[in-house]
Coordinates of all heavy atoms in Angstrom, one line a residue:
H1 N -41.1 -8.9 118.2 CA -40.9 -9.9 119.3 C -40.5 -9.2 120.6 O -40.7 -9.7 121.7 CB -39.9 -10.9 118.9 CG -40.4 -11.9 117.9 ND1 -40.6 -11.6 116.6 CD2 -40.8 -13.2 118.0 CE1 -41.0 -12.6 115.9 NE2 -41.2 -13.6 116.8
Y2 N -39.8 -8.1 120.5 CA -39.3 -7.4 121.7 C -39.7 -5.9 121.8 O -39.9 -5.3 120.8 CB -37.8 -7.6 121.8 CG -37.3 -9.0 121.7 CD1 -36.6 -9.4 120.6 CD2 -37.6 -9.9 122.6 CE1 -36.1 -10.7 120.4 CE2 -37.2 -11.2 122.5 CZ -36.5 -11.6 121.4 OH -36.1 -12.9 121.2
K3 N -39.7 -5.4 123.0 CA -40.0 -4.0 123.2 C -38.8 -3.2 122.8 O -37.7 -3.4 123.2 CB -40.4 -3.7 124.6 CG -40.6 -2.2 125.0 CD -41.8 -1.7 124.3 CE -42.0 -0.2 124.7 NZ -43.2 0.4 124.0
N4 N -39.0 -2.2 121.9 CA -38.0 -1.4 121.3 C -37.9 -0.1 122.1 O -38.9 0.7 122.1 CB -38.2 -1.1 119.9 CG -36.9 -0.6 119.2 OD1 -36.2 0.2 119.7 ND2 -36.7 -1.1 118.0
L5 N -36.9 0.2 122.9 CA -36.8 1.4 123.8 C -35.8 2.4 123.2 O -34.8 2.0 122.7 CB -36.3 1.0 125.2 CG -37.3 0.3 126.1 CD1 -36.7 0.1 127.5 CD2 -38.6 1.0 126.2
Q6 N -36.2 3.7 123.3 CA -35.4 4.8 122.8 C -34.7 5.4 124.1 O -35.4 5.9 125.0 CB -36.2 5.8 122.1 CG -37.0 5.3 121.0 CD -36.2 4.7 119.9 OE1 -35.2 5.2 119.5 NE2 -36.7 3.5 119.4
V7 N -33.4 5.3 124.2 CA -32.7 5.7 125.4 C -31.8 7.0 125.1 O -31.1 7.0 124.0 CB -31.8 4.6 125.9 CG1 -31.0 5.0 127.2 CG2 -32.6 3.4 126.2
G8 N -31.8 7.9 126.0 CA -31.0 9.2 125.8 C -29.8 9.3 126.7 O -29.7 8.5 127.6
F9 N -29.0 10.3 126.4 CA -27.7 10.5 127.2 C -28.0 11.4 128.4 O -27.4 11.3 129.4 CB -26.7 11.1 126.3 CG -25.4 11.4 127.0 CD1 -24.5 10.3 127.3 CD2 -25.0 12.7 127.3 CE1 -23.3 10.6 128.0 CE2 -23.8 12.9 128.0 CZ -23.0 11.9 128.3
S10 N -28.9 12.4 128.2 CA -29.1 13.4 129.2 C -30.5 13.2 129.9 O -30.8 14.0 130.8 CB -29.1 14.8 128.6 OG -30.0 14.9 127.6
K11 N -31.2 12.1 129.6 CA -32.4 11.8 130.3 C -32.4 10.4 130.7 O -31.8 9.5 130.2 CB -33.6 12.0 129.3 CG -33.7 13.5 128.8 CD -34.9 13.6 127.8 CE -35.0 15.0 127.3 NZ -36.0 15.2 126.3
T12 N -33.2 10.1 131.8 CA -33.3 8.7 132.3 C -34.7 8.1 132.0 O -35.7 8.8 132.2 CB -33.1 8.8 133.9 OG1 -31.8 9.3 134.1 CG2 -33.2 7.4 134.5
T13 N -34.7 6.9 131.6 CA -35.9 6.2 131.3 C -36.2 5.2 132.5 O -35.3 4.5 133.0 CB -35.8 5.3 130.0 OG1 -35.6 6.2 128.9 CG2 -37.0 4.5 129.8
S14 N -37.4 5.2 132.9 CA -37.9 4.3 134.0 C -38.8 3.2 133.5 O -39.7 3.5 132.8 CB -38.6 5.1 135.1 OG -37.8 6.2 135.6
I15 N -38.5 2.0 133.9 CA -39.3 0.8 133.5 C -39.9 0.3 134.8 O -39.2 -0.1 135.8 CB -38.6 -0.3 132.8 CG1 -37.8 0.3 131.6 CG2 -39.5 -1.4 132.4 CD1 -37.0 -0.8 130.9
V16 N -41.2 0.2 134.9 CA -41.9 -0.3 136.1 C -42.4 -1.7 135.9 O -43.2 -2.0 134.9 CB -43.1 0.6 136.4 CG1 -43.8 0.1 137.7 CG2 -42.7 2.1 136.6
F17 N -41.9 -2.6 136.7 CA -42.2 -4.1 136.5 C -43.3 -4.4 137.6 O -43.4 -3.8 138.6 CB -41.0 -4.9 136.7 CG -40.0 -4.8 135.7 CD1 -39.0 -3.8 135.7 CD2 -40.0 -5.6 134.6 CE1 -38.0 -3.7 134.8 CE2 -39.0 -5.5 133.6 CZ -38.1 -4.5 133.6
P18 N -44.1 -5.4 137.3 CA -45.2 -5.8 138.2 C -44.7 -6.5 139.5 O -45.4 -6.5 140.5 CB -46.1 -6.7 137.4 CG -45.2 -7.2 136.3 CD -44.2 -6.1 136.0
Y19 N -43.4 -7.0 139.4 CA -42.9 -7.7 140.5 C -41.4 -7.3 140.7 O -40.8 -6.6 139.9 CB -42.9 -9.2 140.4 CG -44.3 -9.8 140.6 CD1 -45.2 -9.9 139.5 CD2 -44.7 -10.4 141.8 CE1 -46.5 -10.4 139.7 CE2 -45.9 -10.9 142.0 CZ -46.8 -10.9 140.9 OH -48.1 -11.4 141.1
A20 N -40.8 -7.7 141.8 CA -39.5 -7.3 142.2 C -38.5 -7.8 141.1 O -38.6 -8.9 140.6 CB -39.1 -7.8 143.5
I21 N -37.4 -7.0 140.8 CA -36.4 -7.4 139.9 C -35.4 -8.3 140.5 O -34.9 -8.0 141.6 CB -35.7 -6.2 139.3 CG1 -36.7 -5.2 138.6 CG2 -34.6 -6.5 138.4 CD1 -36.2 -3.8 138.3
K22 N -35.1 -9.5 139.9 CA -34.2 -10.4 140.5 C -32.9 -10.5 139.8 O -31.8 -10.8 140.3 CB -34.8 -11.8 140.5 CG -35.9 -12.0 141.5 CD -35.4 -11.9 142.9 CE -36.5 -12.2 144.0 NZ -36.0 -12.0 145.3
S23 N -32.9 -10.2 138.5 CA -31.7 -10.3 137.7 C -31.7 -9.3 136.5 O -32.8 -9.0 135.9 CB -31.5 -11.7 137.1 OG -30.4 -11.8 136.2
I24 N -30.5 -8.6 136.2 CA -30.4 -7.7 135.1 C -29.2 -8.0 134.3 O -28.1 -8.3 134.9 CB -30.3 -6.2 135.7 CG1 -31.4 -5.9 136.6 CG2 -30.2 -5.2 134.5 CD1 -31.2 -4.6 137.4
D25 N -29.3 -8.0 133.0 CA -28.1 -8.2 132.1 C -28.2 -7.3 131.0 O -29.2 -7.3 130.2 CB -28.0 -9.6 131.7 CG -26.8 -9.9 130.8 OD1 -25.7 -10.0 131.4 OD2 -26.9 -9.9 129.6
K26 N -27.2 -6.4 130.8 CA -27.2 -5.5 129.6 C -26.2 -6.0 128.6 O -25.2 -6.5 128.9 CB -26.9 -4.1 130.1 CG -25.6 -3.9 130.8 CD -25.4 -2.5 131.3 CE -24.0 -2.3 132.0 NZ -23.7 -1.0 132.3
G27 N -26.5 -5.7 127.3 CA -25.7 -6.2 126.3 C -24.4 -5.4 126.0 O -23.5 -5.8 125.3
S28 N -24.4 -4.2 126.6 CA -23.3 -3.3 126.3 C -23.0 -2.4 127.4 O -23.9 -2.0 128.2 CB -23.6 -2.4 125.0 OG -22.6 -1.4 124.9
A29 N -21.7 -2.0 127.6 CA -21.3 -1.1 128.6 C -21.6 0.3 128.3 O -21.4 1.3 129.1 CB -19.8 -1.2 128.9
D30 N -22.1 0.6 127.1 CA -22.5 1.9 126.6 C -23.8 2.3 127.3 O -24.3 3.5 127.0 CB -22.6 1.9 125.1 CG -21.3 1.7 124.4 OD1 -20.3 1.9 125.1 OD2 -21.3 1.3 123.3
V31 N -24.5 1.4 128.0 CA -25.8 1.7 128.7 C -25.6 1.6 130.2 O -25.0 0.6 130.7 CB -26.9 0.8 128.1 CG1 -28.2 1.0 128.9 CG2 -27.0 0.9 126.6
L32 N -26.2 2.5 130.9 CA -26.1 2.5 132.4 C -27.5 2.0 132.9 O -28.5 2.5 132.5 CB -25.8 3.9 133.0 CG -24.5 4.5 132.5 CD1 -24.4 5.9 133.1 CD2 -23.3 3.7 133.0
V33 N -27.5 1.0 133.8 CA -28.7 0.4 134.3 C -28.6 0.2 135.8 O -27.6 -0.3 136.3 CB -29.0 -1.0 133.6 CG1 -30.2 -1.6 134.2 CG2 -29.1 -0.8 132.1
Q34 N -29.6 0.6 136.6 CA -29.6 0.3 138.0 C -31.1 0.3 138.5 O -31.9 1.0 137.9 CB -28.8 1.3 138.8 CG -29.4 2.7 138.9 CD -28.5 3.6 139.8 OE1 -27.3 3.4 139.9 NE2 -29.2 4.6 140.4
K35 N -31.3 -0.4 139.6 CA -32.6 -0.3 140.3 C -32.7 1.0 141.0 O -31.8 1.5 141.5 CB -32.8 -1.5 141.2 CG -33.0 -2.8 140.6 CD -33.6 -3.9 141.5 CE -32.6 -4.3 142.6 NZ -33.1 -5.4 143.4
A36 N -34.0 1.5 141.1 CA -34.2 2.7 141.8 C -34.0 2.5 143.3 O -34.3 1.4 143.8 CB -35.6 3.2 141.6
K37 N -33.5 3.5 144.0 CA -33.2 3.3 145.4 C -34.4 3.0 146.2 O -35.4 3.7 146.0 CB -32.4 4.5 145.9 CG -31.0 4.7 145.4 CD -30.4 6.0 146.0 CE -29.0 6.1 145.4 NZ -28.3 7.4 146.0
T38 N -34.3 2.1 147.2 CA -35.4 1.7 148.1 C -36.6 1.1 147.4 O -37.6 0.9 148.0 CB -35.8 2.9 149.0 OG1 -36.6 3.8 148.2 CG2 -34.7 3.6 149.7
V39 N -36.5 0.8 146.1 CA -37.6 0.3 145.3 C -37.1 -1.0 144.6 O -36.0 -1.0 144.0 CB -38.2 1.3 144.3 CG1 -39.3 0.6 143.5 CG2 -38.7 2.5 145.0
E40 N -37.9 -2.1 144.6 CA -37.4 -3.3 144.0 C -37.9 -3.6 142.6 O -37.4 -4.5 141.9 CB -37.9 -4.5 144.9 CG -37.2 -4.5 146.3 CD -35.7 -4.8 146.2 OE1 -35.3 -5.6 145.3 OE2 -35.0 -4.2 147.0
N41 N -38.9 -2.8 142.1 CA -39.5 -3.1 140.8 C -39.4 -2.0 139.8 O -40.1 -2.1 138.8 CB -41.0 -3.5 141.0 CG -41.8 -2.2 141.4 OD1 -41.4 -1.4 142.3 ND2 -43.0 -2.1 140.9
I42 N -38.5 -1.0 140.0 CA -38.3 0.0 139.0 C -36.9 0.0 138.6 O -35.9 0.1 139.4 CB -38.7 1.4 139.6 CG1 -40.2 1.4 140.0 CG2 -38.4 2.5 138.6 CD1 -40.7 2.7 140.6
L43 N -36.7 0.0 137.3 CA -35.3 0.0 136.7 C -35.1 1.3 136.0 O -35.9 1.8 135.2 CB -35.2 -1.2 135.7 CG -33.8 -1.5 135.2 CD1 -33.0 -2.0 136.4 CD2 -33.9 -2.6 134.1

């Protein structure tokens, strides 16, 4: 049902969305998440 992502400690994963990101919610503080600078659709 959901996309399973493998996330690392020393590498950054980029997700490209077709439209601008309006809201982000992460389930744990053990993960760092932010929008790319000057870009609205890359996480």
